[in-house]
Amino acid sequence: MTGEPGERLADVMAAAVTVAVESAEAGRYTGEVGRTLAAVVGEMGARLVGEAELRGFSTGWQEAMAVRPAGVRPLRAARAHA
């Protein structure tokens, strides 16, 4: 599965709906099936949000470093004393 996070989540949703429909047509759809499919969609959504946040931070950091004035370096945090 490739593409933007929204497209990937749409693919997961489409697959979950397909499974739900096929399960219902076979007379096997239960509340547990619904909860399981919802959990799969929720887990995938959480992963996609995490990936998007990380990618956004990384991209923003790279852009900030690219436009900094000549000679300016990022500060390094001092080590904490234990």
Side-chain angles (χ1 to χ4, degrees):
M1 184 182 323
T2 61
E4 294 296 316
E7 294 171 350
R8 292 168 58 194
L9 188 56
D11 289 344
V12 171
M13 283 295 301
V17 169
T18 299
V19 169
V21 168
E22 290 173 358
S23 178
E25 288 173 347
R28 303 275 188 214
Y29 189 86
T30 64
E32 187 63 28
V33 170
R35 285 187 291 279
T36 301
L37 292 172
V40 168
V41 171
E43 179 65 26
M44 190 64 184
R47 287 182 186 190
L48 290 171
V49 166
E51 290 174 14
E53 287 176 348
L54 181 60
R55 186 173 35 253
F57 174 81
S58 176
T59 300
W61 179 259
Q62 290 170 358
E63 289 173 0
M65 292 296 100
V67 298
R68 71 180 188 251
V72 174
R73 296 185 338 199
L75 294 175
R76 299 215 183 268
R79 291 184 181 237
H81 298 285

